[in-house]
Amino acid sequence: KLQAAALVFSIVLLLISSSVTWAINDLSLYERSFDKYKISETSGIEKSELLAVSKGIQKYFNSTDKSLNIEATVNDQKRHLFGIKETAHMKDVKRLVQGNYIIQVLSSVAVLSIFISAKLSFSSGAMQFICKYAMWGGIATIILITTIGLTALITFDQLFLTFHRISFANDFWRLDSSKDYLVIIFPQGFWKDATIFVATLVISSASILSTISGTYLWFLK
């Protein structure tokens, strides 16, 4: 029972963390937001520069750099894009991103270890065990994300605020949308769209996992 519960839990974490990783590193997600919210017009930054800024942020998240330092041309003037408060906030965000990476690695190792352990523990029925609880891991993920997703659609602003209050021990995230380019480039609508994107990825991958596992179980019976 402990092994089964561990497998289900690890699969839930793996599916969610992998989808978050995909979203963080998917430049097309950023590009669609720039077009949808007309960020070039509101920020005074050309789209090509906005994409370069996005790449710079992605590089920062995936590097050992301690501070985010990005220059961009704003209204035909070259400048450092992010101020002290924004840079400090991005350090905190980077910790969350790298924490997600760690969860992804650990959950991957856990799933693989349980698979190997099941193979060694059961003289027969190992695949039935793996497929059964892989299927339940997918189903549990779908239920969890659907519940959170529906709640987010109804009360996204409140959830977004609560997330920041829980995740950050300071108020660097309280930025001014009239002058701080971090929130000018990435308005709240972007984060709602990104949340929907991640939820869609998670539910899709969980559905595929559950369908494949369930179909295999059906054939075994």
Side-chain angles (χ1 to χ4, degrees), residues 74-145:
V74 183
N75 295 321
D76 299 322
Q77 291 187 334
K78 196 80 171 178
R79 52 160 287 176
H80 288 286
L81 192 59
F82 303 125
I84 295 173
K85 194 174 181 181
E86 293 163 284
T87 303
H89 177 55
M90 289 302 282
K91 286 182 181 179
D92 294 335
V93 173
K94 182 175 181 175
R95 292 189 192 100
L96 290 183
V97 170
Q98 295 191 333
N100 178 77
Y101 290 166
I102 291 170
I103 290 172
Q104 185 180 18
V105 171
L106 292 178
S107 57
S108 298
V109 171
V111 168
L112 182 60
S113 299
I114 294 167
F115 278 14
I116 294 171
S117 175
K119 277 286 191 181
L120 296 175
S121 300
F122 301 116
S123 56
S124 62
M127 285 308 298
Q128 288 94 325
F129 170 84
I130 291 170
C131 287
K132 178 180 179 181
Y133 291 104
M135 181 182 71
W136 280 111
I139 292 171
T141 304
I142 292 169
I143 293 171
L144 175 64
I145 296 302

Side-chain angles (χ1 to χ4, degrees), residues 153-172:
L153 286 175
I154 299 169
T155 60
F156 181 79
D157 292 351
Q158 186 58 46
L159 281 178
F160 193 67
L161 182 62
T162 301
F163 168 79
H164 280 75
R165 285 174 173 167
I166 293 172
S167 301
F168 304 112
N170 52 59
D171 64 352
F172 295 147

